[in-house]
Amino acid sequence: MKRTLTALLLIGSLALAQADGAKLYAQCAGCHQANGQGIPGAFPPLAGHLSEVLAKQGGREYLIKVLLWGLQGQIEVKGVKYNGVMPAFGQLKDEEIAALLNHIATAWGDDKKVQGFKPFTAAEVKALREKKLTPQQVLEERKKLGLK
């Protein structure tokens, strides 16, 4: 009985230790909205666009960079131009950025549109965190992917 209780406590504490992407997304919803649709002309949609980014070679890395260092400058999503600043979220832990990206990728079904989608990992985030980019450099990374 004591072993079972100990195991249950351990499993419960591990679940609590995992980052909750849905809760973290609350920081994003003010701009990108709870449904991921954004605000046309002001804040771009994530729903439906994330699969376009993930389908590009280097798309996963680009999304991590956007969260780590932000994004600044003109972009175009689904034919609508946006010219603003997305703040960096580099203060989040690697696991939190991975959890947030996994929530965004799965909440509106974008993961189902990308063949072989694999969840983001803290190790992926950690590997890119050492690079230091400006939000303008992240914009250049977007252009290299062939995204406007």
Side-chain angles (χ1 to χ4, degrees):
M1 178 71 175
K2 186 176 180 181
R3 275 183 118 175
T4 303
L5 184 57
T6 303
L8 287 174
L9 287 171
L10 180 61
I11 291 169
S13 63
L14 285 174
L16 287 173
Q18 289 183 333
D20 185 341
K23 284 183 182 175
L24 290 165
Y25 184 74
Q27 298 175 65
C28 312
C31 296
H32 295 289
Q33 305 300 287
N35 62 4
Q37 294 301 312
I39 299 173
F43 304 106
L46 300 175
H49 178 58
L50 210 71
S51 57
E52 295 173 31
V53 177
L54 286 169
K56 303 278 187 183
Q57 185 174 354
R60 290 175 69 86
E61 293 82 5
Y62 164 74
L63 291 170
I64 294 168
K65 291 172 185 176
V66 169
L67 285 179
L68 284 172
W69 299 295
L71 180 66
Q72 183 174 356
Q74 184 172 299
I75 65 169
E76 187 175 316
V77 178
K78 300 188 179 289
V80 179
K81 291 182 180 178
Y82 299 88
N83 194 358
V85 177
M86 181 181 143
F89 287 88
Q91 75 278 7
L92 295 177
K93 296 175 185 169
D94 297 341
E95 342 23 87
E96 291 173 321
I97 289 177
L100 180 54
L101 285 168
N102 286 325
H103 171 73
I104 294 168
T106 60
W108 308 291
D110 284 272
D111 60 321
K112 306 272 188 275
K113 299 174 190 171
V114 179
Q115 187 174 5
F117 173 79
K118 291 185 170 113
F120 287 87
T121 66
E124 284 178 282
V125 178
K126 183 178 181 178
L128 290 173
R129 188 181 287 275
E130 294 172 9
K131 247 184 172 183
K132 301 290 184 209
L133 299 176
T134 67
Q136 296 84 2
Q137 288 172 316
V138 175
L139 177 64
E140 292 305 314
E141 296 281 323
R142 178 182 181 85
K143 292 175 183 175
K144 289 178 190 173
L145 295 177
L147 297 167
K148 294 181 182 180

